[in-house]
Amino acid sequence: MTGPRVVIIGAGVVGAALADELSAAGWTDVTVVDQGPLPATGGSSSHAPGLVFQTNPSKTMTELARYTVEKLSSLDVGGQSCFLQIGGLEVATTPERLAELHRRHGWVTSWGVEARVVGPEECVALHPLLDRARVLGGLFVPTDGLAKAVLAVEAQTRRAAERGVRFLERHEVLAVTQDDGRVTGVVTDRGGELAADVVVCCAGIWGPRVARMAGMELPLTPLAHQLAWTGPVPALAGQTAEAVRPILRHQDAGLYYRDHHDRIGIGSYGHRPMPVAADDIAAFDETDGMPSVLAFTEGDFAGAWTETRSLLPVTRDAKVEEGINGLFSFTTDGMPLLGESSQVKGFWVAEAVWVTHSAGVGRAMAEWLVDGHCSSFDLHECDVNRFEPHQLAPDYVLARGCRNFAEVYDIIHPLQPAGAPRPIRTSAFHPRQEELGAFFLEANGWERPQWYESNTALLEGRSIPAPNDWAARYWSPVVGAEAQATRETVALYDMTALKRLEVTGRGAAAFLQRLTTGNVDKSVGSVTYTLLLDHDGGIRSDITVARLGRDLFQVGVNGNLDLDLLTRRLPADGTVAVRDITAGTCCVGLWGPLAREVLQPLADTDFSDQGLKYFRAKRAHIGAVPVTAMRLSYVGELGWELYTTADLGLKLWDTLLAAARPLGGVPAGRGAFNSLRLEKGYRSFGTDMTFEHDPYEAGLAFAVKEDKDDFTGKTALARRREQVRRRLTCLTVDDPGDVVMGKEPVYDGDRPVGYVTSAAYGYTIGKGIAYAWLPAELSEPGRALDIGYFDRRVAARVAAEPLFDPAMSRLRG
């Protein structure tokens, strides 16, 4: 098979990897165009220093890097290897960084890569140029090393060419052509059109410019990053091998190092952000050298050189002989941009990908294109359609890109907000929340209360255990008091940040029925918790579908990827429409044993157990406010989600809180919400389960109606049901000071066997809670395990779930 006609724009490490992987999968009608000469085309790949550190808080990014290491290690050009596996060493010069290296060791262990934390003596043994007095310890990954980017391009383009792929160097793309919303080809400066059914933009720092030709805005900022080379270092005289010491990172100072015979390469992120607009980057033929290489600014490197001579004393006898300000791609959230345009079918991007992840991305994109989904990697964090509209605004893209550059080596807490520009999105309740002393964190641009200082009085008479210092950041004992108050009386939760879609039309019921695992074609007023699956049976999202009319559904989803999925699968006959209604609406979660006592006196309709049963919805008035009330709860208590339009939100909040106060009711934040939902065993998509997991593994088999007519993923799911080898498992921890945060490794003895997803302290049950992916045979209740937390082990035990109210009596009260 030759596959469809494909044009890949860009022959750097990503374009070359994609051409190789596509042709290996049988798609050979592929043309790769680049404005520069092969194999050094003038983009970031041509000057990249090639350091491959696999450790990353993202499981996906580590797996993409691991595949890159494995593939490039197997490639050579004329006997010269494309990868020098000399290991990677990150060193700590402060106690805070040493603790962070233990946390990073936890990540890489969770993701299945061999690593160890080493003491200062072993650091110096591994890298003798280090000043022993400066180093407190290090993280060593033996399989890290140096990728030879230009060689990797040459090796992969040769393999692809042997299979029939055509490479056109010195062809600058001037336009992406399309017809009726579908790509038809590209036009280059050599004249004529290269016809295509699929166009993939792998243009790197030029990516925004090329994507704009297809009407697509990429949240990508090219930034200059300094790389310098010393002259000969006397202590290295006679070193004939290119590199003999591990690649080295000194993240406390934003620095990295690599050998190059008797010289040392020094990379610095410690300077000011230096963004460059993609439209201002020269074409290859407009410069004397590489377009991605800007003039070195010595003043920006002064601090890096001073620190280098301190950490590596042998450099005191050397000089900086040359340097560049090399352009690399940064995004608003630090993740790549992969996937198909939502506006132009057949136009794909693989952007903001560094050498570290390049071969893995090539494999992922090839699978996605050929099979319709990626089976090797979970790409939900990388999908280019994940962004909200405000996240594509130029000012936002620039500010967040520059911030990510400045923080690239910083110690980032899991709850740490991304910073300016804030605030961007505020719910209708925001003025009152500010008055109540809300501590806000950000969720998809929304300001969302984590707790309320106004609830400090709740602490009286309560003993709220404090977590360890790391878990206590962005935390207050008020979180625990709000959680307990929800179980005791009633609380108001701002649920506005959760995305809401309206699905309408005479084909709406059939459309949703085909897409979901549950039965949503039920009576008006029904609410269904159900799943969206991929064709391979993997979970794309968990959603709630409320039927508010014969042809009207409100769908609660997890983010923009769900909107993108539903929109792509709309029938061509126009019988279904999907609309995002989030911005024009708001939602209060009114939950707790006294919730009915608050709501019923305010309402013009019956909210008794028979008047509105569990998982049912209806229209009502709460005081003067029209609402859509849904009887469901993500904290495991009696209550409702109450939706109204944004203009009436403040009136709804005031009405409910005024009625709740005499009963001891309070507003409560996300900290309490997370604790309560874990006590009840409720999953969170993107954290507890992702594209790589299926419903049977994730404990969501109840959401699959196996006797239902065909739905997306049903055939694959039937096969997966018989092959459950891992399970999302509930663990409890007795010591309240041992609260973990997520992504930590789980051990059975000395053997790492899984990793934590969500975690919190359960203020009702009096134990720490950690959900974790474990082998199925280890998921039996009572099993003793350990969680790796920084430099120690936390004793944990598998528990039956849910931990709170297994009989569901409180929800159905």
Side-chain angles (χ1 to χ4, degrees), residues 745-762:
V746 178
Y747 293 89
D748 180 24
D750 292 329
R751 179 173 63 107
V753 292
Y755 60 91
V756 174
T757 58
S758 295
Y761 188 76

Side-chain angles (χ1 to χ4, degrees), residues 539-712:
I539 300 171
R540 287 294 303 258
S541 190
D542 65 333
I543 64 175
T544 54
V545 179
R547 191 169 200 171
L548 303 181
R550 181 179 180 276
D551 299 325
L552 171 63
F553 295 81
Q554 182 171 310
V555 183
V557 300
N558 285 295
N560 220 50
L561 289 184
D562 296 339
L563 172 61
D564 182 65
L565 184 149
L566 265 63
T567 303
R568 287 181 188 278
R569 299 185 183 178
L570 285 172
D573 60 9
T575 58
V576 186
V578 176
R579 184 168 69 97
D580 184 352
I581 62 172
T582 312
T585 58
C586 56
C587 178
V588 177
L590 180 72
W591 295 316
L594 302 184
R596 187 174 282 121
E597 295 181 38
V598 172
L599 193 63
Q600 188 61 75
L602 302 171
D604 65 347
T605 189
D606 183 9
F607 277 93
S608 69
D609 188 45
Q610 291 303 310
L612 187 61
K613 294 181 179 180
Y614 186 52
F615 264 81
R616 297 288 297 179
K618 67 178 177 181
R619 312 280 195 184
H621 288 87
I622 305 303
V625 181
V627 301
T628 298
M630 299 185 194
R631 189 175 166 193
L632 54 151
S633 164
Y634 286 97
V635 300
E637 294 290 341
L638 170 68
W640 300 267
E641 290 181 357
L642 302 171
Y643 297 88
T644 191
T645 52
D647 60 320
L648 293 168
L650 201 57
K651 182 63 175 176
L652 177 63
W653 178 274
D654 289 344
T655 300
L656 291 171
L657 191 56
R661 287 292 196 196
L663 301 175
V666 296
R670 191 69 181 182
F673 176 93
N674 197 48
S675 170
L676 296 170
R677 69 111 180 156
L678 287 177
E679 288 185 331
K680 194 61 184 165
Y682 292 144
R683 277 71 167 138
S684 173
F685 179 81
T687 303
D688 295 317
M689 69 277 191
T690 66
F691 293 2
E692 66 177 302
H693 305 114
D694 69 48
Y696 305 112
E697 299 171 327
L700 296 175
F702 68 89
V704 179
K705 302 305 179 188
E706 296 175 357
D707 58 350
K708 175 183 167 182
D709 289 342
D710 194 29
F711 57 84
T712 302

Side-chain angles (χ1 to χ4, degrees), residues 283-306:
F284 189 90
D285 290 332
E286 295 173 351
T287 63
D288 294 331
M290 295 287 180
S292 59
V293 173
L294 307 182
F296 188 60
T297 49
E298 288 189 40
D300 291 302
F301 196 70
W305 183 232
T306 298

Side-chain angles (χ1 to χ4, degrees), residues 249-500:
R249 274 206 282 210
H250 175 28
Q251 291 170 292
D252 283 323
L255 291 166
Y256 63 77
Y257 304 93
R258 55 153 297 177
D259 290 11
H260 192 77
H261 301 292
D262 64 348
R263 300 164 191 255
I264 297 175
I266 308 165
S268 174
Y269 290 101
H271 54 81
R272 62 190 170 94
M274 294 183 276
V276 178
D279 290 336
D280 293 338
I281 304 171
F284 189 90
D285 290 332
E286 295 173 351
T287 63
D288 294 331
M290 295 287 180
S292 59
V293 173
L294 307 182
F296 188 60
T297 49
E298 288 189 40
D300 291 302
F301 196 70
W305 183 232
T306 298
E307 181 62 22
T308 295
R309 286 182 294 173
S310 173
L311 185 72
L312 307 177
V314 297
T315 59
R316 294 170 189 166
D317 298 323
K319 295 182 179 180
V320 174
E321 283 201 350
E322 56 181 307
I324 64 170
N325 287 4
L327 293 176
F328 289 95
S329 300
F330 283 79
T331 60
T332 57
D333 60 3
M335 299 296 286
L337 307 174
L338 311 179
E340 186 183 24
S341 164
S342 61
Q343 303 299 317
V344 180
K345 292 181 179 179
F347 184 79
W348 293 69
V349 299
E351 289 290 343
V353 180
W354 293 4
V355 175
T356 300
H357 311 101
S358 57
V361 166
R363 173 68 176 272
M365 291 296 294
E367 289 181 351
W368 200 348
L369 285 163
V370 174
D371 301 330
H373 59 85
C374 178
S375 57
S376 296
F377 309 97
D378 161 39
L379 297 180
H380 85 276
E381 296 174 297
C382 307
D383 194 312
V384 69
N385 296 296
R386 65 190 181 269
F387 299 101
E388 296 290 325
H390 75 274
Q391 294 171 322
L392 301 177
D395 287 352
Y396 182 95
V397 173
L398 178 62
R400 288 290 169 92
C402 289
R403 185 180 181 93
N404 282 332
F405 176 91
E407 293 181 344
V408 70
Y409 280 175
D410 282 4
I411 299 171
I412 305 294
H413 190 275
L415 295 179
Q416 184 170 320
R422 281 183 71 193
I424 297 178
R425 308 173 83 182
T426 56
S427 79
F429 320 132
H430 188 258
R432 294 294 182 268
Q433 293 167 345
E434 287 189 306
E435 293 170 6
L436 294 166
F439 179 85
F440 293 99
L441 295 179
E442 184 186 7
N444 289 326
W446 291 99
E447 295 295 317
R448 187 164 65 182
Q450 193 73 358
W451 70 83
Y452 294 86
E453 289 297 331
S454 61
N455 287 329
T456 301
L458 287 175
L459 294 172
E460 186 176 348
R462 301 180 190 271
S463 178
I464 305 297
N468 54 78
D469 290 346
W470 181 251
R473 298 186 189 186
Y474 307 100
W475 175 88
S476 164
V478 174
V479 167
E482 290 177 356
Q484 292 178 352
T486 305
R487 297 270 189 242
E488 296 162 359
T489 55
V490 63
L492 278 66
Y493 288 84
D494 182 356
M495 304 301 290
T496 303
L498 298 180
K499 195 175 212 43
R500 293 169 291 286

Side-chain angles (χ1 to χ4, degrees), residues 708-726:
K708 175 183 167 182
D709 289 342
D710 194 29
F711 57 84
T712 302
K714 182 178 181 181
T715 301
L717 203 58
R719 295 191 299 267
R720 295 178 73 149
R721 179 180 55 194
E722 308 304 324
Q723 302 173 6
V724 177
R725 297 187 177 91
R726 59 184 173 181

Side-chain angles (χ1 to χ4, degrees), residues 7-12 15 31-46 153 166-175 186-190 194 200-210 213 222 277-293 327 351:
V7 171
I8 299 172
I9 304 171
T31 302
V32 184
V33 297
D34 200 294
Q35 62 175 327
L38 286 167
T41 60
S44 301
S45 303
S46 303
V153 169
R166 182 170 58 145
F167 290 86
L168 301 178
E169 58 185 356
R170 295 191 178 277
H171 281 62
E172 183 180 357
V173 173
L174 302 178
V186 303
V187 177
T188 76
D189 61 351
R190 297 298 184 93
L194 297 172
V200 187
C201 177
C202 303
I205 54 177
W206 291 279
R209 183 195 302 180
V210 174
M213 297 176 189
D279 290 336
D280 293 338
I281 304 171
F284 189 90
D285 290 332
E286 295 173 351
T287 63
D288 294 331
M290 295 287 180
S292 59
V293 173
L327 293 176
E351 289 290 343

